Amino acid sequence: MSERTITLDVTRYRPHQEAVPTVQSYAIPFPDDWVVLDALNHIKDQVDGSLSYRWSCRMGVCGSCGMMVNGEPKLSCAVFLRDYFPRAIRVEPLSNFPVIRDLVIDMSGFLDKLKSVKPWIIREQEKPLSEGEYLQSPRELDAYQHFSQCINCMLCYAACPVFGLDSGFVGPAAIALGYRYNLDSRDHGTAERREVLGDHEGIWQCTFVGECSVVCPKHVDPAAAIQRVKVDTAKDWILSLVMPWGQR
Amino acid sequence: MNGRKTLEPLWWGLFSAGGVVAAFLVPIHIVITGIAVPLGWLPDAQEIYRHWPVRLYLFILIALPLYHWAHRFQFALSDMGMRGIHKPLAVLCYGAALLGTVIAGWILLRL
Ligand code: SF4
Ligand code: FES
């Protein structure tokens, strides 16, 4: 197979030895079917073992290899070097997150947000086991299924200018995940989740830029989820005014 | 908990209703009163404004887009670096829209 050589300009940051991030260039010979992650793995194995980044599945499933590739949030296992050749490729850690080292960002804030929307089925009353499972029709499954495809890659957060300005914003993936449970026919937790989703740092921060849905590799369309939660919340707010006794 | 501790659903509701009016009704109205009537394509039927449904329509046409402006403008300013004074900005913008609503209502009542 013919090999060409491409330049990767990779952000390096080793907090114990440098105060600010620097850029290191690597010239990497690559076969046609290599993705950016393959080049990073090649660097790590053959050139410079000190380079740090996250990855696992190499097939767009685990969501751990998100990086900025030429300024765009991408899964590095899903972008081919040949599509950038002969230009150099700039590889940086995901925007809008604190960096721990090299391409590794601190995702603890994101994990807290995921938890805060209570992404599990909340029941007013649990059925006893003896009554069997909670059944769901294909239509009821369809209602939320595509919002459940998120792989927690955080590309949407790296793309979101609102999150860039305000790291407290609950953000696209977490709101979409909460909405996924609101839509679930087995769930009764909408009112409980509203404390987080309907908060000032929840849906109302979103100005509908829409970049989250553009970059999402799983077509979750978090922007749509956020707008729909806004509509639902505003509707319930009006209902609670005209029918204050109808509290949920 | 219906999220009633915050007025954000109200402002957003007015904002989105204003957006619909601004997108669908305002252009039609500009074509009618700004182009078609001055050019004589349509008669200048001033007396139509005496009808209450027409005044109500004009009230909606004028007032709701004000809230669309207020919400957008306020968020645009915050995004441009005025996040720190988000609260006073909101009071100023929504206040201006409220004032515009009152003035529009007052003028329409006296037509
Ligand atoms: S919504 Fe899409 S972009 Fe955001 S974390 Fe989930 S899969 Fe990634
Ligand atoms: S390595 Fe798992 S998504 Fe890229």
Side-chain angles (χ1 to χ4, degrees):
Chain A
M1 198 187 296
S2 75
E3 285 204 347
R4 298 172 283 188
T5 297
I6 194 164
T7 304
L8 264 73
D9 297 323
V10 183
T11 301
R12 301 300 312 269
Y13 174 55
R14 289 139 294 190
H16 58 281
Q17 71 183 64
E18 59 216 345
V20 288
T22 54
V23 177
Q24 197 162 341
S25 294
Y26 303 93
I28 306 297
F30 70 100
D32 225 34
D33 57 355
W34 268 21
V35 290
V36 169
L37 180 63
D38 292 320
L40 294 175
N41 284 340
H42 173 84
I43 295 170
K44 179 128 185 128
D45 293 345
Q46 312 287 336
V47 185
D48 182 350
S50 72
L51 181 66
S52 301
Y53 52 96
R54 289 195 181 102
W55 71 287
S56 177
C57 70
R58 206 190 159 275
M59 51 194 281
V61 173
C62 73
S64 50
C65 68
M67 299 166 195
M68 305 303 288
V69 178
N70 277 2
E72 285 178 59
K74 296 277 186 195
L75 294 179
S76 55
C77 69
V79 280
F80 287 93
L81 296 169
R82 59 168 190 255
D83 292 337
Y84 295 87
F85 184 81
R87 288 175 303 140
I89 301 181
R90 200 152 36 84
V91 185
E92 298 160 293
L94 279 182
S95 296
N96 301 339
F97 288 94
V99 178
I100 296 175
R101 184 191 159 98
D102 295 341
L103 302 169
V104 179
I105 53 109
D106 180 0
M107 58 196 288
S108 52
F110 172 67
L111 295 177
D112 291 341
K113 283 171 189 169
L114 284 184
K115 231 187 293 166
S116 75
V117 303
K118 309 195 183 189
W120 52 80
I121 286 175
I122 298 171
R123 299 283 303 177
E124 266 154 24
Q125 198 151 28
E126 287 286 351
K127 281 200 307 200
L129 269 186
S130 56
E131 280 179 35
E133 58 278 75
Y134 297 110
L135 294 178
Q136 197 162 52
S137 70
R139 243 178 81 194
E140 288 167 333
L141 173 67
D142 270 353
Y144 68 81
Q145 197 175 24
H146 95 269
F147 291 119
S148 71
Q149 302 301 306
C150 172
I151 56 172
N152 299 336
C153 65
M154 296 170 281
L155 300 194
C156 51
Y157 284 74
C160 174
V162 175
F163 177 64
L165 291 168
D166 174 6
S167 60
F169 174 40
V170 176
I175 295 176
L177 184 65
Y179 186 54
R180 169 250 174 277
Y181 281 91
N182 284 351
L183 287 176
D184 195 309
S185 59
R186 299 162 294 183
D187 181 85
H188 304 138
T190 301
E192 229 177 277
R193 281 185 204 100
R194 181 154 304 145
E195 286 185 38
V196 174
L197 298 183
D199 181 70
H200 177 66
E201 289 284 26
I203 46 176
W204 307 120
Q205 282 294 310
C206 167
T207 50
F208 203 4
V209 176
E211 275 300 301
C212 50
S213 293
V214 174
V215 301
C216 176
K218 293 288 156 185
H219 309 293
V220 171
D221 201 355
I226 299 175
Q227 304 323 302
R228 283 162 68 173
V229 178
K230 283 182 190 170
V231 173
D232 290 352
T233 310
K235 255 198 293 195
D236 284 358
W237 186 86
I238 292 168
L239 273 182
S240 77
L241 278 189
V242 290
M243 297 195 304
W245 59 89
Q247 290 286 341
R248 285 203 283 153
Chain B
M1 276 311 305
N2 267 331
R4 259 201 287 172
K5 54 186 172 175
T6 156
L7 281 180
E8 276 166 304
L10 170 70
W11 300 128
W12 182 81
L14 289 168
F15 158 77
S16 52
V20 173
V21 170
F24 289 106
L25 297 185
V26 172
I28 298 172
H29 213 85
I30 290 175
V31 170
I32 294 174
T33 57
I35 300 172
V37 171
L39 290 182
W41 300 345
L42 286 174
D44 188 4
Q46 294 277 348
E47 61 280 9
I48 193 174
Y49 295 120
R50 257 183 265 133
H51 297 291
W52 284 106
V54 176
R55 292 194 202 182
L56 180 68
Y57 161 77
L58 284 177
F59 180 68
I60 291 172
L61 182 81
I62 296 165
L64 284 181
L66 292 177
Y67 295 91
H68 190 75
W69 162 81
H71 192 80
R72 261 274 172 267
F73 194 61
Q74 186 235 131
F75 270 92
L77 290 181
S78 318
D79 288 352
M80 279 154 56
M82 301 193 194
R83 231 148 236 273
I85 52 166
H86 180 84
K87 279 261 158 69
L89 271 181
V91 172
L92 215 70
C93 291
Y94 295 133
L98 276 169
L99 184 69
T101 306
V102 172
I103 294 175
W106 187 64
I107 292 176
L108 286 169
L109 279 176
R110 290 164 44 103
L111 265 184

